[in-house]
């Protein structure tokens, strides 16, 4: 890396790195460091009347207060922070005091990983601490951390720019309190979900991520190319059709927790790569699935929060069963006064247009009803509510309702104004399924790029016979948002999809060469703030030469600065 690309602090840290190596200290040792305790456990288990506990801990040095021959360090490990008391004579018992005077005080930096061996005690100010008897450098940090300072409960110099936090999650996790807790809670959500499903006797499976047909949902897929077959493939948009094949094959119940990919927008509730759980159980229907889902979510909420309620966006949301059950057409009528039941596609479209909605001729009846619900209903359901009995046009994989013509046995679970789960009494009539797929293809011909493609192999599987089955899909990222009270999906994804980093426009080396600037001077000019050739056009030759000389001197470059005449020529050509 060119030294001119580094900040002063980064240069200083690299110089310290070199000095450590010259002293025979490996800044990145390979050997195991035998830790036997964590900060949180030490603090929780300490008793004043116990014999001093010998510990070996390791972590980042997050602060350092040097007071002559004694110092205090705040050490951060994977479970929290603890104070360490270090004295010169404890870690340097002989005549050589370099470990304290030079290494600890001058060559170590905030963010470095260190190992500490010592014993636990309470200081005169009452703080439980580790009295260091042996110190070891475990890893040298070459970039400085943005240290957040706290005073009277108020944070200063916060690392709170969302763009930086999400893009540099590794820094966010180190310096911002509570971030790691969110992801530990996410792990609890998935662990509890898996435990409930396993204890119910269902089998966790894995199905293909690369698929020849993007099926199982209405969504726009990502397309890639499989070179070995010279064939376009799709990143899966759902696991549904493969999991149903396993029900055909004789499994009682199967589930998968995995990534789906939808080539659609990004916002506070959507990420194009997301985690979903899908479950399919034979001989069940959507009524059973509603009851199972209520108990599942109540169990998860208690595991994460210690109670079945959670505050979300200022609302107390209760996941305690049972939940309200409301047919979708009744929900639309309740919110708009318009009864979609028995209405034609043209009548529904006319009503949508009368409400100022952005609908067009490519939208079929199901799509129009979906738009109506999304516009007027979805955001109003704060407490968990099962929206049931969707029109057949909206549900190409769902069994017809046993007593309501034109409707299907489907529900979506709404919580805090957003869809959390989607479930059916699964369609297992292969002839009916084929007709539904054909209708989807008609919608695709009209311009609906989210309509499903016919999956002939799935139809063949159904023809071998699939038992009555209920299935559900639950968005894990949204579930974690609800269980942790987070408003943005980016808060519960370690590495959310981001737009490309903005780069400062720069003239190329070839463009600089056109005005006579040698390649070696391009980084120097950029460091001086001249990223474009045009930037130097208004400079005075002596002034620009002085700026170049200042960079050469500051960074101790082994270069002879150009003459005023050379610089004047650059400026003259830049003005042309």
């Amino acid at each position: 890396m060119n030294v001119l690309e580094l900040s002063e602090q980064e240069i200083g840290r690299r110089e310290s790195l070199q000095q450590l190596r010259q002293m025979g200290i490996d800044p990145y040792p390979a050997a195991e460091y035998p830790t036997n305790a964590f900060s949180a456990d030490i603090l929780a288990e300490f008793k004043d009347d116990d014999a001093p506990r010998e510990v070996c801990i390791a972590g980042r040095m997050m602060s350092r207060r040097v007071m002559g021959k004694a110092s205090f360090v705040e050490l951060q490990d994977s479970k929290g922070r603890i104070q360490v008391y270090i004295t010169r004579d404890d870690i340097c018992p002989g005549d050589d005091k370099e470990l304290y005077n030079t290494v600890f005080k001058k060559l170590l930096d905030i963010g470095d990983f260190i190992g500490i061996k010592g014993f636990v005690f309470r200081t005169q100010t009452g703080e439980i601490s580790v009295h260091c008897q042996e110190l070891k450098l475990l890893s040298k940090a070459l970039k400085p951390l943005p240290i957040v300072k706290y005073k009277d409960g108020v944070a200063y110099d916060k690392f709170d720019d969302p763009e930086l936090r999400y893009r540099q999650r590794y820094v966010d996790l180190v310096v911002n309190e509570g971030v790691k807790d969110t992801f530990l809670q996410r792990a609890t959500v998935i662990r509890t979900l898996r435990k409930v499903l396993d204890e119910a006797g269902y089998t966790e499976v894995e199905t293909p991520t690369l698929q020849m047909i993007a099926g199982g949902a209405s969504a726009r897929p990502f397309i890639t190319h499989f070179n070995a077959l010279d064939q376009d493939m799709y990143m899966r948009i759902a696991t549904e059709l493969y999991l149903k094949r396993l029900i055909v094959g004789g499994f009682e119940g199967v589930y998968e927790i995995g990534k789906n990919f939808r080539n659609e927008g990004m916002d506070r509730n959507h990420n194009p790569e997301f985690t979903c759980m899908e479950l399919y159980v034979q001989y069940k229907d959507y009524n059973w699935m509603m009851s199972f889902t209520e108990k599942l979510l109540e169990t998860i909420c208690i595991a994460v929060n210690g109670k079945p309620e959670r505050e979300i966006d200022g609302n107390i949301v209760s996941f305690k069963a049972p939940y309200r059950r409301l047919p979708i057409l009744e929900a639309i009528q309740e919110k708009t006064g318009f009864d979609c039941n028995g209405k034609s596609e043209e009548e529904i479209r006319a009503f949508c247009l009368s409400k100022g909605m952005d609908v067009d001729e490519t939208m079929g009846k199901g799509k129009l009803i979906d738009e109506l619900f999304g516009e007027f209903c979805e955001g109003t359901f704060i407490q968990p509510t099962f929206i049931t009995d969707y029109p057949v046009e909206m549900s190409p994989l769902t069994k017809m309702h046993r007593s309501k013509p034109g409707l299907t046995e489907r529900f979506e679970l709404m919580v805090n104004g957003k869809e959390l789960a989607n479930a059916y009494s699964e369609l297992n009539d292969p002839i009916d399924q084929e007709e539904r797929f054909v209708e989807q293809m008609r919608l695709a011909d009209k311009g609906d790029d989210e309509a499903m493609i016919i999956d002939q192999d799935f139809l063949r599987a159904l023809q071998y016979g699939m038992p009555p089955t209920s299935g559900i899909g639950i968005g894990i990222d949204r579930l974690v948002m609800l269980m942790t009270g987070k408003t943005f999906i980016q808060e519960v994804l370690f590495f959310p999809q981001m737009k490309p980093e903005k780069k400062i426009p720069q003239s190329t080396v070839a463009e600089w060469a056109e005005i006579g600037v040698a390649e070696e001077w391009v980084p120097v000019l950029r460091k001086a703030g001249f990223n474009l050739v045009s930037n130097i056009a208004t400079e005075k030759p002596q002034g620009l030469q002085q700026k170049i000389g200042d960079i050469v001197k500051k960074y101790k470059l082994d270069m002879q600065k150009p003459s005023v005449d050379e610089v004047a020529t650059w400026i003259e050509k830049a003005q042309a």
Side-chain angles (χ1 to χ4, degrees):
M1 176 178 286
N2 192 311
V3 69
L4 295 176
E5 298 176 21
L6 304 174
S7 67
E8 289 187 48
Q9 286 195 58
E10 290 175 297
I11 291 172
R13 286 171 180 249
R14 288 170 186 252
E15 290 174 349
S16 295
L17 181 77
Q18 185 62 29
Q19 289 183 54
L20 288 165
R21 286 182 165 140
Q22 289 171 355
M23 295 174 69
I25 298 173
D26 184 354
Y28 304 104
E32 173 192 6
Y33 192 76
T35 59
N36 61 15
F38 293 98
S39 57
D41 301 329
I42 292 172
L43 297 173
E45 297 166 5
F46 178 80
K47 291 184 176 60
D48 287 296
D49 53 357
D50 284 353
R53 176 185 175 186
E54 299 288 334
V55 295
C56 180
I57 60 175
R60 286 186 188 270
M61 184 170 67
M62 299 301 291
S63 69
R64 173 176 51 192
R65 288 179 290 134
V66 177
M67 297 172 290
K69 299 178 183 180
S71 300
F72 286 98
V73 162
E74 186 177 38
L75 192 76
Q76 177 173 296
D77 62 18
S78 61
K79 291 190 176 182
R81 296 188 181 190
I82 192 167
Q83 180 173 270
V84 178
Y85 175 64
I86 301 174
T87 70
R88 186 190 68 181
D89 294 335
D90 281 329
I91 65 172
C92 305
D95 294 333
D96 185 358
K97 306 298 182 183
E98 285 294 287
L99 179 61
Y100 183 84
N101 292 338
T102 302
V103 177
F104 172 71
K105 291 173 63 176
K106 298 178 181 179
L107 301 182
L108 294 190
D109 293 289
I110 302 303
D112 289 353
F113 282 88
I114 57 175
I116 301 291
K117 291 183 181 179
F119 61 89
V120 186
F121 76 112
R122 189 187 295 275
T123 66
Q124 291 181 351
T125 60
E127 185 166 355
I128 301 169
S129 307
V130 175
H131 189 126
C132 177
Q133 295 174 304
E134 182 181 311
L135 179 146
K136 183 177 178 62
L137 173 62
L138 300 178
S139 182
K140 182 72 181 164
L142 298 184
K143 280 187 174 290
L145 289 169
I147 298 299
V148 183
K149 301 179 181 67
Y150 293 89
K151 184 177 181 180
D152 300 326
V154 179
Y156 297 90
D157 301 325
K158 292 192 290 186
F159 184 70
D160 57 3
D161 182 337
E163 175 81 9
L164 288 175
R165 287 186 55 232
Y166 304 152
R167 198 179 297 281
Q168 298 180 30
R169 182 68 81 187
Y170 38 87
V171 177
D172 188 33
L173 287 163
V174 173
V175 303
N176 285 327
E177 293 183 2
V179 175
K180 182 182 287 186
D181 292 339
T182 296
F183 291 98
L184 293 175
Q185 289 174 318
R186 181 185 177 108
T188 298
V189 168
I190 296 175
R191 183 169 57 249
T192 306
L193 172 65
R194 183 174 276 119
K195 179 181 178 183
V196 171
L197 298 178
D198 288 345
E199 289 180 350
Y202 308 137
T203 304
E204 183 172 10
V205 299
E206 295 176 292
T207 60
T209 300
L210 280 176
Q211 302 180 354
M212 292 188 178
I213 293 175
S218 298
R220 186 183 300 115
F222 284 94
I223 303 174
T224 186
H225 190 76
F226 189 0
N227 290 334
L229 297 178
D230 192 21
Q231 177 177 348
D232 283 346
M233 302 283 283
Y234 301 94
M235 301 293 286
R236 72 180 177 200
I237 58 175
T239 55
E240 177 167 347
L241 301 186
Y242 279 97
L243 293 176
K244 286 181 182 178
R245 287 171 169 91
L246 299 180
I247 296 295
V248 170
F251 280 88
E252 176 198 359
V254 291
Y255 73 92
E256 182 168 7
I257 301 173
K259 295 286 189 180
N260 291 340
F261 307 85
R262 298 185 182 179
N263 197 359
E264 299 168 348
M266 297 186 299
D267 58 33
R268 61 189 289 177
N269 294 298
H270 298 87
N271 195 67
E273 172 187 357
F274 63 97
T275 304
C276 189
M277 186 285 296
E278 290 198 39
L279 165 71
Y280 295 85
V281 186
Q282 63 182 5
Y283 309 124
K284 308 297 184 187
D285 66 5
Y286 80 141
N287 293 310
W288 176 89
M289 188 62 81
M290 280 187 263
S291 298
F292 183 83
T293 302
E294 292 170 335
K295 295 170 185 174
L296 172 66
L297 296 183
E298 182 177 348
T299 301
I300 291 173
C301 189
I302 292 172
V304 174
N305 298 296
K307 55 185 178 181
E309 296 85 30
R310 173 76 213 197
E311 182 175 344
I312 308 168
D313 297 336
N315 301 307
I316 301 299
V317 177
S318 174
F319 289 93
K320 188 170 180 61
Y323 305 159
R324 184 187 182 193
R325 304 182 183 191
L326 178 65
I328 187 172
L329 298 185
E330 290 183 24
I332 292 173
Q333 187 173 8
E334 184 180 285
K335 301 298 180 182
T336 69
F338 181 73
D339 185 2
C340 295
N341 198 24
K343 297 293 194 300
S344 67
E345 177 182 315
E346 289 71 24
E347 288 173 310
I348 297 174
R349 183 179 292 107
F351 177 75
C352 291
L353 291 171
S354 73
K355 290 293 184 179
M357 295 175 60
D358 184 17
V359 298
D360 56 48
E361 297 298 322
T362 68
M363 297 181 179
K365 185 175 179 180
K367 186 78 169 178
L368 293 169
I369 291 173
D370 191 30
E371 292 291 315
L372 269 175
F373 181 80
E375 181 75 18
F376 296 103
C377 307
E378 183 173 320
T380 67
F381 296 106
I382 303 302
Q383 299 302 322
T385 304
F386 291 116
I387 303 299
T388 67
D389 304 343
Y390 283 66
V392 63
E393 295 88 351
M394 298 176 68
S395 312
L397 299 170
T398 312
K399 186 170 288 188
M400 295 296 293
H401 199 286
R402 67 196 75 176
S403 62
K404 298 178 182 179
L407 302 181
T408 61
E409 295 198 348
R410 173 187 176 189
F411 73 77
E412 289 187 335
L413 176 59
M414 300 293 162
V415 186
N416 198 43
K418 294 296 177 185
E419 174 199 343
L420 174 62
N422 188 18
Y424 317 142
S425 293
E426 300 294 339
L427 179 59
N428 60 344
D429 179 342
I431 297 175
D432 188 1
Q433 181 65 84
E434 184 171 13
E435 291 172 353
R436 306 269 195 101
F437 276 147
V438 170
E439 177 59 28
Q440 285 287 299
M441 294 306 293
R442 292 195 188 101
L443 292 175
D445 291 340
K446 288 175 64 176
D448 187 346
D449 58 3
E450 294 184 353
M452 290 190 195
I453 302 172
I454 296 178
D455 187 333
Q456 295 292 350
D457 181 69
F458 175 66
L459 290 175
R460 179 168 56 195
L462 286 186
Q463 290 168 18
Y464 281 101
M466 185 175 87
T469 298
S470 182
I472 187 170
I474 297 177
I476 297 299
D477 306 320
R478 285 196 185 173
L479 177 59
V480 175
M481 290 172 66
L482 293 169
M483 294 301 171
T484 60
K486 299 301 180 185
T487 303
F488 297 92
I489 194 171
Q490 291 83 2
E491 294 286 351
V492 301
L493 300 174
F494 271 127
F495 303 104
Q497 189 66 42
M498 304 289 291
K499 295 178 180 178
E501 290 188 69
K502 294 180 180 178
K503 295 185 177 180
I504 298 173
Q506 292 182 336
S507 295
T508 65
V509 171
E511 289 170 330
W512 284 106
E514 289 177 4
I515 66 168
V517 177
E519 182 176 349
E520 63 181 351
W521 289 114
V522 174
V524 177
L525 286 164
R526 288 173 177 168
K527 191 66 178 181
F530 303 104
N531 290 297
L532 301 173
V533 169
S534 59
N535 292 155
I536 70 169
T538 58
E539 292 292 311
K540 302 293 185 187
Q542 294 87 348
L544 181 54
Q545 187 209 35
Q546 181 62 47
K547 291 177 182 178
I548 292 172
D550 289 344
I551 297 294
V552 170
K553 182 178 180 180
K554 181 177 181 179
Y555 290 92
K556 302 175 184 178
L557 303 179
D558 187 18
M559 301 170 67
Q560 183 67 41
K561 68 180 181 181
S563 68
V564 173
D565 289 342
E566 285 181 275
V567 174
T569 302
W570 298 349
I571 294 173
E572 183 180 344
K573 291 183 178 180
Q575 294 171 341

